[in-house]
Amino acid sequence: SQQGEEDPQALSIQEGENATMNCSYKTSINNLQWYRQNSGRGLVHLILIRSNEREKHSGRLRVTLDTSKKSSSLLITASRAADTASYFCATDAGYGNKLVFGAGTILRVKS
Amino acid sequence: GAGVSQSPRYKVAKRGQDVALRCDPISGHVSLFWYQQALGQGPEFLTYFQNEAQLDKSGLPSDRFFAERPEGSVSTLKIQRTQQEDSAVYLCASSRGSYNEQFFGPGTRLTVL
């Protein structure tokens, strides 16, 4: 069974616009990670945010974490066609090792 | 190596055949994970090794699935008597240890006919 849910399931935007994806989860966590997966390829690690952090940045990516609401968001600014992919959040569900993934958000950036 | 590698990238098996999938983790990573990803879904945990010890195999769907990591580096996931429902992408990941980022390989796409 999957821990979290991403919202929306699919998102289509124009190049240059910002994209926001949300993730909700059910149990307490030590950290939450975001991954990108291009069609037919493996998962690329984007960012890890720990439970005592509220916000983290990496290039055009901004991740927030609200442990009281058990939710996280991923913001991609100034999107590019190359950002087209599926995005997954994953938590350690308190275990510290195995990850529990949501079903993902499919992002399409139109040029 | 520079990243996690997996082989083969694609495997077609007839129902009832045994298959073996290989994972080479990032050098020095003590933790190794196997996940199964069905089409259109997120990955689901299968099993976890710390060095050569298999610490969690709670996600293995049946006793037809077996994983090993005898020397604490390369791992093999074996599926015996494959069934059509085993068709999926099998992903391997490694990390420096608990609470750290997991880095994934490209996966093996298994199709059981």
Side-chain angles (χ1 to χ4, degrees):
Chain A
S1 62
Q2 296 188 316
Q3 151 89 306
E5 295 182 3
E6 281 93 342
D7 166 48
Q9 289 186 327
L11 180 61
S12 183
I13 59 174
Q14 290 293 135
E15 205 166 27
E17 293 181 338
N18 296 341
T20 300
M21 287 159 271
N22 303 296
C23 166
S24 60
Y25 56 91
K26 299 174 185 173
T27 66
S28 61
I29 63 171
N30 294 293
N31 62 63
L32 183 147
Q33 305 184 43
W34 283 91
Y35 288 86
R36 182 185 75 230
Q37 186 174 41
N38 293 90
S39 179
R41 298 196 177 184
L43 292 155
V44 174
H45 185 269
L46 297 177
I47 201 161
L48 179 151
I49 186 165
R50 301 196 185 278
S51 59
N52 61 352
E53 297 175 309
R54 291 297 168 257
E55 187 171 310
K56 209 162 182 181
H57 297 255
S58 177
R60 296 184 294 112
L61 306 180
R62 172 179 169 249
V63 168
T64 62
L65 179 64
D66 186 335
T67 53
S68 67
K69 295 181 179 178
K70 291 187 168 58
S71 68
S72 174
S73 68
L74 170 67
L75 169 67
I76 304 174
T77 60
S79 63
R80 305 166 181 168
D83 295 328
T84 295
S86 292
Y87 291 81
F88 295 91
C89 71
T91 70
D92 71 336
Y95 297 108
N97 40 63
K98 67 184 179 185
L99 293 177
V100 183
F101 285 82
T105 292
I106 300 171
L107 173 65
R108 180 183 173 211
V109 181
K110 295 177 284 187
S111 55
Chain B
V4 178
S5 61
Q6 292 185 246
S7 62
R9 291 291 313 278
Y10 303 92
K11 177 69 179 177
V12 178
K14 291 183 180 178
R15 190 163 56 94
Q17 282 186 329
D18 298 348
V19 298
L21 313 180
R22 176 188 168 106
C23 172
D24 280 87
I26 293 172
S27 179
H29 278 194
V30 299
S31 298
L32 185 146
F33 306 82
W34 284 98
Y35 294 85
Q36 180 189 59
Q37 186 175 23
L39 189 65
Q41 298 295 317
E44 296 213 1
F45 170 80
L46 293 177
T47 187
Y48 156 59
F49 290 85
Q50 185 167 308
N51 296 307
E52 69 278 5
Q54 189 174 21
L55 298 185
D56 187 343
K57 53 182 180 179
S58 62
L60 296 177
S62 78
D63 58 8
R64 296 186 295 104
F65 287 70
F66 172 76
E68 60 183 5
R69 194 186 184 197
E71 297 178 357
S73 56
V74 170
S75 177
T76 303
L77 176 67
K78 297 178 180 178
I79 309 173
Q80 297 176 325
R81 304 180 304 282
T82 53
Q83 303 295 313
Q84 284 188 322
E85 61 262 29
D86 300 335
S87 295
V89 175
Y90 290 86
L91 295 165
C92 176
S94 70
S95 74
R96 286 185 289 118
S98 296
Y99 310 105
N100 287 290
E101 298 90 336
Q102 292 186 21
F103 297 93
F104 282 78
T108 294
R109 182 178 297 277
L110 173 65
T111 303
V112 182
L113 303 177

